[in-house]
Amino acid sequence: MYFKKIGVIGGGTMGQGIAEMLAARGLDVLLVEKTPERLDYSYSMIELSLDKQLEKWAITQAEKKLILGRIHKVVHLAELGTCDMVIETISEDLDAKKQVFSQLDQVCPNHIILASNTSSLSLTELASSTMYPERVIGMHFIHPVSKVDLVEIIRGLKTSDTTFTETKRFVEEVVHKKGIMVYESPGFVTSRMICLMINEALHILQEGVASAEDIDDAMRIGYQFQHGPLEMADRFGLDSVEAALDRMFREFGELKYRPSTVLKKMVRAGHLGVKTGEGFFKYDKDGDRV
Amino acid sequence: MKVLVINAGSSSLKYQLYDMTDESVLAKGLVERIGMDSSIVTHKPTGGTEVTEVSEILEHTTAIRKVLSLLTDPEHGVIGSVDEIEAVGHRVVHGGEYFGESALVDGDVKTKIRLLFDLAPLHNPASMMGIKAAESNMNVPQVVVFDTAFHQSMPEHAYLYAIPRVLYSKHKVRRYGAHGTSHEFVSKTAAEFLNRPIEDLKIISCHVGNGASVTAVKGGRSIDTSMGMTPLEGLMMGTRSGDLDPAIVPYVMNKEELTVNEVNSMLNKHSGLLAISGISSDMREITDGMQKGDANSKLAFDMYEYRLRKYIGSYAAVMNGVDVITFTAGVGENSVVLRKKVCENLTYLGVELDDELNEIRSGEPRRISTANSKVEVLVIPTNEELVIARDTNRIVQGLMS
């Protein structure tokens, strides 16, 4: 299989990150959003992210131009018919995702891999909305996509071996990230472990064992985490963490996944982390700790 | 013999077709943006008009096929059939410690070039693609010419870094240098120009272009060179920092929270003339800026010149004297003002610049020092492609006889 032109559906945080990373690797990207306005917004966010990298000397002015030049704005899924692979990154809503996949099934030739960047939904269920479930697979990137070199490749029940090996080749040889194979299960490996750790940190905080600052320092300095668990939660968005824990709690039925009450309270208060400027810590508009 | 010279980059491929009976260039050209749907091929037959074509060229094999079809094209071509090309010569950036000279391509040579991917991750894989592409299109002997080969004659005390030796034995961390083909060509041409045996000469060869390096050539052999394990060390360059205190790297990474990739990109692409002038990485624009009174351009020029002169001084010490200083490549061949500034401050070595000769522009080797100068100062236009064609010709002729 030859990977040159990739469709990315959804221009949210993950869609932006994936589109930018693919373009930086020299691939052509068709970025899809529902309206031209949302497309323009996503595109401007990618530009902003490239400007930040330029400031950090990571890329040059010419490279920024080249990367942006490879990202094409598209508003209709029908235009993805010429893509060599499509990656869906819309919000974690099973019905909306199913609808996208059944449309893609019509548009893309049946050997083209259709991937979802879902972090927790069932691939098997997504694939069931298509006529060729063997080409549906999960490709879970981690934010920030340009810096984290890991992708969870998730096999649904009917995902074929060819689809898996080609996806792994794409991740490792084209995109130059490490791909790990994961069988479908709520939260896969990364979300399941990290959400549990965050939840435990919240229990420790709630029990008054240590302050937020000290809990984060413990893991950051003691175990060489880039960010401590509470800052991580702020960066993921506390609402997303709560939703992921809730889903795992329902699916596994085990108490250890039940979201801590501190988390629920923070979400109800609208303190969602970096995106609202306040969570367990405070952040400026660039997302830096203040 | 007709020899096709290929210089393959990751997304580009330069070529020249030589007729070695008189070393003339029959045609040359460039394929750009390989891997994209709008690749550009520029082909120029000697004495003919330049043709430019835009088409989809997704990999190097297709690029070579395109080049061969242009070379044999009834209208723009210069040969009747591909069979007239009897050998292919490739430029390869890194030959590591395996190659002290050019080599005929065989399985063993290819394995070694592949083993060096780690040391030249941007360049050697591209050269390999060029070799494979030529192989799949033509059945003729191929020769590889290495940028590092000329410097393999450096003594241990010049190529080792004063760091734990295990890093050398385990990872081959040492000085390799670059621009070897150019330094070798220029020093030989200088000896011929002066009509003196190269064995008797101490030459300091300054290859100053967008990338820049200085080499101490004693008796025709490289004994030290300014570029190191990678082309980042040594002189200040267009966008490369050149020498700096290595402790700056972890310090800045920590202060600015930079990753390894970011700091690499900073030193290779955001430093040098560009960083100091804030205007450009191009010496012509820096000189313009300086002449218009821009302080940053002047500082960039002064630093560039100062660092070049420092290396000349140190190589005079390395060889216990100097007979010839040569200038080549974009800046060295064209910047009258840089050569003047460098030479004016080397009078202690006995350098005496002839201002009139220095101002002459020409594509020929020429002397720019006075008749009384104790050191000959020469401008020698470099020609790396010709060296590749000559080596290819020599090795393949040897094979045939």
Side-chain angles (χ1 to χ4, degrees), chain A residues 182-242:
Chain A
V182 179
Y183 287 97
E184 185 176 313
S185 165
F188 313 134
V189 175
T190 55
S191 307
R192 180 164 161 186
M193 296 209 58
I194 215 70
C195 288
L196 263 187
M197 190 186 62
I198 290 169
N199 212 28
E200 203 56 41
L202 294 167
H203 291 318
I204 294 173
L205 181 70
Q206 203 171 1
E207 291 163 22
V209 178
S211 69
E213 195 78 47
D214 284 351
I215 292 171
D216 270 20
D217 278 350
M219 298 314 283
R220 211 167 43 79
I221 300 165
Y223 285 92
Q224 298 182 4
F225 280 46
Q226 200 196 346
H227 304 297
L230 298 175
E231 183 171 343
M232 256 189 234
D234 280 351
R235 293 189 177 278
F236 296 147
L238 299 189
D239 49 342
S240 309
V241 175
E242 189 194 356

Side-chain angles (χ1 to χ4, degrees), chain A residues 35-51:
Chain A
T35 64
E37 292 73 34
R38 288 171 74 153
L39 256 182
D40 287 341
Y41 174 75
S42 302
Y43 194 82
S44 70
M45 290 303 283
I46 294 174
E47 224 177 326
L48 191 73
S49 149
L50 291 172
D51 280 336

Side-chain angles (χ1 to χ4, degrees), chain B residues 270-287:
Chain B
H270 295 264
S271 299
L273 287 175
L274 178 66
I276 300 300
S277 72
I279 297 179
S280 170
S281 60
D282 189 322
M283 185 46 100
R284 285 166 293 194
E285 288 177 44
I286 301 295
T287 315

Side-chain angles (χ1 to χ4, degrees), chain A residues 2 4-5 26 28 53-61 63 66 70 147 226, chain B residues 33 35-37 58-59 252 256-259 261-266 269-270:
Chain A
Y2 186 73
K4 188 65 202 129
K5 197 199 277 183
D28 284 312
Q53 292 175 49
L54 192 65
E55 243 171 65
K56 287 267 186 202
W57 308 289
I59 54 169
T60 63
Q61 200 58 258
E63 285 165 345
L66 273 175
R70 292 193 194 110
K147 285 197 175 164
Q226 200 196 346
Chain B
R33 295 166 57 89
M36 296 171 212
D37 44 19
L58 292 176
E59 30 75 66
V252 170
E256 294 277 328
E257 293 184 26
L258 300 183
T259 63
N261 284 343
E262 284 163 351
V263 80
N264 257 329
S265 162
M266 176 189 86
K269 298 177 183 171
H270 295 264

Side-chain angles (χ1 to χ4, degrees), chain B residues 150-161:
Chain B
F150 182 55
H151 302 303
Q152 278 297 300
S153 51
M154 282 187 291
E156 208 177 24
H157 64 252
Y159 73 66
L160 280 185
Y161 291 107

Side-chain angles (χ1 to χ4, degrees), chain A residues 71-136:
Chain A
I71 301 174
H72 312 279
K73 302 180 198 173
V74 166
V75 278
H76 299 293
L77 288 182
E79 291 176 59
L80 299 183
T82 57
C83 286
D84 305 311
M85 175 187 264
V86 178
I87 306 171
E88 166 278 316
T89 76
I90 67 170
S91 58
E92 294 282 272
D93 172 342
L94 187 65
D95 289 333
K97 280 189 196 276
K98 273 180 154 176
Q99 212 186 339
V100 167
F101 273 80
S102 71
Q103 268 179 278
L104 286 175
D105 210 31
Q106 310 288 321
V107 172
C108 302
N110 61 19
H111 66 281
I112 295 296
I113 294 173
L114 306 180
S116 171
N117 179 53
T118 179
S119 59
S120 55
L121 297 175
S122 161
L123 261 304
T124 308
E125 199 168 352
L126 259 181
S128 71
S129 60
T130 68
M131 279 160 64
Y132 307 102
E134 63 278 4
R135 52 128 155 209
V136 175

Side-chain angles (χ1 to χ4, degrees), chain B residues 98-171:
Chain B
Y98 297 123
F99 300 101
E101 50 195 36
S102 305
L104 187 74
V105 175
D106 59 17
D108 178 50
V109 166
K110 278 190 278 187
T111 307
K112 284 174 176 157
I113 295 174
R114 231 177 260 122
L115 287 174
L116 293 165
F117 279 9
D118 261 359
L119 282 174
L122 293 178
H123 297 107
N124 274 27
S127 310
M128 201 61 192
M129 286 193 275
I131 294 167
K132 283 195 174 154
E135 254 174 7
S136 62
N137 280 296
M138 309 154 84
N139 188 22
V140 294
Q142 301 196 58
V143 168
V144 276
V145 179
F146 300 92
D147 265 13
T148 52
F150 182 55
H151 302 303
Q152 278 297 300
S153 51
M154 282 187 291
E156 208 177 24
H157 64 252
Y159 73 66
L160 280 185
Y161 291 107
I163 53 176
R165 287 193 72 164
V166 63
L167 295 172
Y168 170 61
S169 52
K170 255 171 93 179
H171 306 297

